[in-house]
Amino acid sequence: MILLEDVHKSYGRTPVLRGCSTNIDAGEVVVVCGPSGSGKSTLIKCINGLEPFDRGRIFVGGTSVGDRATDLPALRARVGMVFQHFELYPHMTALENVSLAQIHVRRRRRAEADRRSEELLVRVGLADKLRSRPAELSGGQQQRVSIARALAMDPEAMLFDEPTSALDPEMVTEVLEVMQALAQDGMTMMVTHEMGFAQRVADRVLFMDHGEILEDTDKAHFFAAPVTERARQFLSKVLRH
Amino acid sequence: MDPFDWGVIARSMDFLAAGMALSALLVVVATLGGVVGGAGLAALRRSPRRFLSAPAAGYVGVMRSVPLVLVLFWFYFLVPLAIGRPIGALTSALVAFVLFEAAFYCEIIRAGIANVRRGQSQAAAATGLRPWQALRLVILPQALRAMVPVLLNQIIIVFQDTSLVYVVALRDFMTSASVIASRDGRPIEMYTLVAVVYFAICFVGSYALQRRRKLNYR
């Protein structure tokens, strides 16, 4: 489903990705963890071409992301993305946020798009917030709208870039529950930075440090017996509380 | 005897109203045309392709460096020479205003766009919207909202600048008032009227916009 081969990227002289390779199967749920600055966000943004990369290859459902001939907007329409800071459109209601790309990218009629948006917003528990603007919603509610916005495109896979980092602790659970339900529905998911989700839901964990994928193993192995010293240190810091 | 004759205002009402109508027409056309043209110029200036961005930047630089009076003047005298027939004072003034204002609105809009969070264009791109769709549907509406005070300022400037159309023998509100002032020898009455009207319109305009902003989101 998603294939990374030896992906390199630098900002000027600073390397941020140094030869990352992995393969994510359809329906698999993978959490990318590692200390801040390890390249997790950059890696996940390379997958839908929001960040260009210098070397290596990335395939999403057979489409080569780095290929100049690839229609990136068309590719991005097939991959949902959820951002740390939600990035809902502040001048639109929740419903309009979810409908926008359906209308302008998928070419659905407004009524049809709105029906689908409503269905998705109900599914993420926001039936009573259809007409609310982002500023009237809590962080957790905004993030659920943004998940619905991504799902509205009927994506083949979903990318979550630190989906709970900007949330107050009591709101983390409501977002994780929505993500967990998605995972149970068989959605292919790649999530950065969410250790709770890694422990409970992930199939596999990637551990990154300094732009390299140091561990790429199933969840049980990663938490029970990390191979590298850096992963052990990271775990002991994160899991202490 | 009362040194002032305020009746002059009532007597010249039709003439003044015609002047005000021209001022209003110029403001509306210059603002709408300027915003549309400015948005287009801003989009070009933001383009990574130099053959698009460089001419737009050059145009904006030139327009912002010459006085409006000259633009009005050139249009009136040079365009008929170029196309071989007269285009009329009103048409040339409207075109000149739009072209001139577009350069200013371009810079205002660029500043507004720069103020919209970077994540917004990423989020729009991530759903598959193309760059121009993201600009039109997501970025510009937010940029325009943030620009309301500056836009208002620019509209007031245009309103005051409409008096410059006297160089092509058009009569806006200000020019009409000064014609009466010298014809009837009543400068104090007429210029007081002008000041009061300008103040009232600009003040009410900015007050109304402030109220609207309060009712808005955020």
Side-chain angles (χ1 to χ4, degrees):
Chain A
M1 175 73 234
I2 298 172
L3 179 65
L4 285 82
E5 284 178 359
D6 196 31
V7 177
H8 288 258
K9 178 184 174 65
S10 310
Y11 289 121
R13 283 201 183 152
T14 319
V16 280
L17 297 178
R18 303 192 293 182
C20 296
S21 303
T22 192
N23 180 21
I24 295 164
D25 290 331
E28 217 178 356
V29 177
V30 174
V31 169
V32 186
C33 62
S36 65
S38 57
K40 311 179 293 282
S41 288
T42 309
L43 184 75
I44 205 169
K45 284 180 177 169
C46 282
I47 292 174
N48 65 354
L50 282 183
E51 291 275 3
F53 48 95
D54 306 332
R55 212 142 58 75
R57 295 195 296 176
I58 298 178
F59 292 92
V60 175
T63 310
S64 172
V65 179
D67 193 329
R68 276 170 170 275
T70 298
D71 181 0
L72 275 182
L75 172 92
R76 291 180 187 131
R78 292 161 41 203
V79 183
M81 183 158 216
V82 171
F83 296 84
Q84 181 181 359
H85 296 289
F86 330 132
E87 302 299 352
L88 294 180
Y89 313 132
H91 55 302
M92 297 181 192
T93 63
L95 193 78
E96 288 166 342
N97 263 279
V98 183
S99 289
L100 186 76
Q102 295 184 65
I103 294 167
H104 293 277
V105 179
R106 289 276 181 258
R107 302 275 162 213
R108 289 178 191 151
R109 279 202 305 275
R110 179 172 294 277
E112 186 192 346
D114 284 349
R115 250 199 321 277
R116 174 88 175 116
S117 303
E118 188 172 341
E119 189 186 301
L120 285 165
L121 286 168
V122 170
R123 188 162 138 200
V124 298
L126 294 172
D128 54 337
K129 300 292 182 191
L130 303 181
R131 310 277 165 208
S132 303
R133 301 220 178 208
E136 299 156 1
L137 300 173
S138 73
Q141 290 169 334
Q142 288 190 57
Q143 194 61 301
R144 285 184 281 151
V145 174
S146 97
I147 293 173
R149 177 174 69 181
L151 290 174
M153 303 300 285
D154 305 315
E156 297 163 28
M158 289 276 288
L159 308 172
F160 294 81
D161 187 19
E162 307 204 16
T164 56
S165 303
L167 297 177
D168 294 334
E170 71 267 26
M171 290 168 187
V172 171
T173 320
E174 66 190 53
V175 171
L176 286 185
E177 276 166 3
V178 169
M179 291 170 60
Q180 191 161 357
L182 268 182
Q184 277 154 5
D185 287 350
M187 176 63 76
T188 311
M189 292 166 72
M190 195 161 172
V191 183
T192 66
H193 204 71
E194 201 4 281
M195 295 308 285
F197 189 73
Q199 280 176 302
R200 273 189 286 160
V201 186
D203 300 312
R204 229 166 77 209
V205 177
L206 303 186
F207 174 75
M208 287 185 75
D209 199 9
H210 295 111
E212 284 175 288
I213 297 177
L214 294 179
E215 311 224 0
D216 182 350
T217 109
D218 62 79
K219 171 177 63 178
H221 271 99
F222 179 74
F223 285 105
V227 182
T228 58
E229 177 58 28
R230 273 185 278 179
R232 267 196 292 277
Q233 283 174 359
F234 175 76
L235 276 178
S236 71
K237 275 183 205 147
V238 190
L239 299 181
R240 191 175 299 154
H241 33 248
Chain B
M1 182 187 122
D2 187 352
F4 300 117
D5 171 20
W6 297 102
V8 67
I9 295 171
R11 288 195 300 277
S12 48
M13 197 50 97
D14 288 351
F15 190 69
L16 291 172
M20 183 53 84
L22 178 70
S23 288
L25 176 69
L26 282 165
V27 168
V28 169
V29 172
T31 301
L32 294 180
V35 167
V36 171
L41 282 170
L44 289 178
R45 282 204 69 171
R46 282 165 46 83
S47 167
R49 303 200 176 93
R50 270 195 60 79
F51 70 91
L52 293 175
S53 64
Y59 174 85
V60 170
V62 169
M63 276 297 179
R64 295 209 308 155
S65 319
V66 291
L68 175 57
V69 148
L70 280 183
V71 180
L72 281 164
F73 205 69
W74 282 337
F75 250 81
Y76 186 61
F77 288 104
L78 293 185
V79 172
L81 285 183
I83 63 172
R85 60 188 175 83
I87 54 169
L90 181 61
T91 312
S92 88
L94 287 172
V95 173
F97 260 94
V98 167
L99 291 179
F100 188 77
E101 289 304 315
F104 283 87
Y105 282 115
C106 168
E107 294 306 279
I108 293 173
I109 290 170
R110 277 197 333 135
I113 290 173
N115 270 325
V116 177
R117 295 167 51 97
R118 203 180 111 73
Q120 288 283 305
S121 35
Q122 284 205 342
T127 56
L129 290 171
R130 295 182 185 274
W132 67 270
Q133 290 179 314
L135 190 66
R136 182 169 60 89
L137 301 165
V138 175
I139 308 299
L140 275 182
Q142 295 181 58
L144 287 170
R145 227 163 271 224
M147 282 159 18
V148 163
V150 196
L151 287 177
L152 172 75
N153 199 34
Q154 191 65 22
I155 291 172
I156 291 175
I157 292 172
V158 177
F159 183 44
Q160 293 167 352
D161 278 353
T162 56
S163 61
L164 294 174
V165 295
Y166 78 89
V167 297
V168 294
L170 289 174
R171 279 194 299 262
D172 72 308
F173 179 61
M174 172 76 195
T175 311
S176 307
S178 82
V179 166
I180 307 271
S182 41
R183 187 195 67 188
D184 294 4
R186 291 286 166 198
I188 295 185
E189 291 85 342
M190 293 317 288
Y191 290 130
T192 306
L193 171 75
V194 169
V196 168
V197 169
Y198 271 86
F199 174 79
I201 290 175
C202 297
F203 183 81
V204 169
S206 65
Y207 180 77
L209 268 162
Q210 262 176 13
R211 270 190 62 89
R212 229 186 79 77
R213 266 175 78 73
K214 270 186 204 139
L215 297 177
N216 240 320
Y217 76 96
R218 48 172 109 212

